[in-house]
Amino acid sequence: MATPETRIIRSVDDSAWSPPLPEAPGFDHLVVETPGLRTHVATVGEGEPVVLLHGFPQHWWQWRAVAPVIAARGYRVICPDLRGAGWTVADDPRIERETRLQDLLALFDALDIERAHLVSHDMGAITAMQLTYEHPERVRTAVELSVPPGFFTFSPKLAPGFRHLPRFIWHRPGASLRGIFSEAYVAQPMSEATIEAHLAPMGRPDIDGAVRPLTRGMILPEAMRMSRGVYRRRRLTVPTLFVFGRRDRPWTEDLMGRVCRDPKRYADRVEFAYVDNAAHFITDDAPTTVATLTTTWFEQAA
C-alpha cells in the first residue's frame, strides 16, 4: 500500500474549484496527490468500494445520477477525474498506453482500496480493461458500458463505431467537441446546460491539450492490440458485464453476438445486457437502469 510520502488527500470545498464544479448534491470532493498528479475525486456513500471511470469528453459528473443510487445500496462510490480530464492536474502532458492504469493503481493505494467493483464507460473502459487483465486481484467485478470486450473480432460493420476518432486524432486547440453529444450518440437529447457541464473543463488549456495525447498515446495503441488479437490470447478472469444501449449503432445485439462469438473461450464469466431507449451516452440516457444493472451484477457475480 502507499506510504504517507506518496500521497496527500485533502477535502476541498465545492466553491474552490476553477472552473466551478457542476452541481451534484451529496458528493464530497477530494484532491489525491500522488507523484506528478493531483487527482480530483468525487465520492458518495459508505461501504464496499465501487470505482467509476468516466468516458470522453466527460468527467466525474457523468455519474451524478448513477453514483447516488449505487451508494444508497450500501457502497462507497469513488468517481475520479482521470488524467487529461475534469479537474485533475498532471505535471507531465505525455500520455502513453498504460499511463492512466498506473495512475489508477496509485489512486487505489492512496485510498487504501485493495479490491473494488469497477464500472467504466467509453474511454474509461480502456483503463478498466487493462486493470482487469493486468491486476485482476484488485477487481471484484466489472461493468463496462458502451464498449466491446477486448477479445472481440473486428468486422467492417463496426467501422461506424469509430467515426469519431479522426476529430480527436487531429483535434485543434479550442475546437468544439459539442458534436459528440449529437443525436447520433444520444437517445434522449441533452440540454444545453448538460452539454456545457460535460465540456466545462475543456476551457482549461491542459485538458484541451490532452485530447491528442489520449487518442494517439492510449486509444490507438490499445486498438491495435485488440485488432491483432492480443486479448484473444489471454483470459479474462474478472466477472464482467458489458452493457449497450439498443440505439447505440453499430453495437447492436446481433452484431455483438457475431464479433464476440463463444465468450467462454476467452473469459471465465461474461454477460451482455442491452438497454432500451439508450445510445452511446447511456449514463445520461438511462442512469437508473445502469445503476440497477450494475448493483445486480455486483451481488450476483462477486
Side-chain angles (χ1 to χ4, degrees):
M1 304 302 285
T3 65
E5 290 74 26
T6 63
R7 66 176 185 183
I8 301 174
I9 302 173
R10 294 183 285 112
S11 180
V12 181
D13 185 81
D14 291 14
S15 62
W17 300 90
S18 181
L21 297 176
E23 184 176 350
F27 286 86
D28 294 320
H29 296 275
L30 311 173
V31 171
V32 180
E33 297 190 25
T34 52
L37 194 67
R38 292 170 293 287
T39 301
H40 165 247
V41 180
T43 68
V44 60
E46 296 293 337
E48 197 170 65
V50 178
V51 176
L52 309 185
L53 304 182
H54 61 79
F56 179 89
Q58 296 175 293
H59 43 78
W60 72 274
W61 194 72
Q62 172 180 355
W63 308 107
R64 67 198 179 280
V66 175
V69 178
I70 296 175
R73 296 177 184 175
Y75 297 94
R76 179 190 181 204
V77 187
I78 299 157
C79 310
D81 283 340
L82 300 171
R83 182 186 293 258
W87 284 260
T88 288
V89 179
D91 291 344
D92 190 338
R94 291 175 297 180
I95 298 173
E96 298 178 345
R97 186 177 66 85
E98 291 190 338
T99 300
R100 279 185 166 185
L101 171 62
Q102 298 307 317
D103 293 343
L104 185 60
L105 289 167
L107 183 68
F108 270 45
D109 290 345
L111 296 177
D112 294 323
I113 298 172
E114 292 189 11
R115 296 181 73 206
H117 299 286
L118 192 62
V119 184
S120 59
H121 175 253
D122 185 71
M123 193 183 291
I126 293 176
T127 304
M129 179 190 70
Q130 292 171 343
L131 186 66
T132 58
Y133 276 97
E134 302 300 335
H135 300 276
E137 74 282 358
R138 307 301 295 266
V139 187
R140 293 185 182 276
T141 67
V143 178
E144 297 188 13
L145 307 172
S146 306
V147 294
F151 56 76
F152 81 98
T153 301
F154 186 79
S155 163
K157 292 184 178 181
L158 291 175
F162 303 97
R163 62 190 179 277
H164 55 285
L165 284 182
R167 77 182 73 174
F168 300 157
I169 295 170
W170 304 108
H171 178 72
R172 302 186 314 276
S176 175
L177 294 175
R178 297 177 70 84
I180 202 65
F181 297 108
S182 73
E183 62 183 11
Y185 301 96
V186 299
Q188 317 299 326
M190 288 188 187
S191 69
E192 287 299 310
T194 297
I195 294 174
E196 290 175 4
H198 284 312
L199 293 178
M202 294 299 299
R204 291 174 44 198
D206 57 326
I207 301 303
D208 188 31
V211 175
R212 283 193 182 194
L214 282 168
T215 309
R216 298 179 180 193
M218 184 180 71
I219 295 177
L220 294 184
E222 199 60 84
M224 291 300 297
R225 284 164 57 86
M226 293 182 201
S227 67
R228 296 198 305 267
V230 168
Y231 295 101
R232 290 195 295 277
R233 296 190 292 272
R234 303 187 62 178
R235 189 154 191 87
L236 177 61
T237 59
V238 174
T240 305
L241 176 68
F242 294 90
V243 183
F244 296 86
R246 290 195 183 277
R247 293 173 60 180
D248 187 4
R249 308 293 178 181
W251 312 102
T252 64
E253 186 170 0
D254 177 66
L255 187 53
M256 291 306 300
R258 298 182 190 180
V259 300
C260 299
R261 193 174 286 115
D262 193 18
K264 291 182 179 180
R265 180 178 177 182
Y266 309 104
D268 289 355
R269 182 172 182 182
V270 160
E271 293 185 16
F272 294 82
Y274 297 86
V275 177
D276 293 334
N277 299 315
H280 178 76
F281 287 103
I282 192 170
T283 55
D284 281 273
D285 282 335
T288 302
T289 302
V290 168
T292 298
L293 284 169
T294 294
T295 53
T296 300
W297 183 251
F298 296 165
E299 294 160 5
Q300 291 180 350

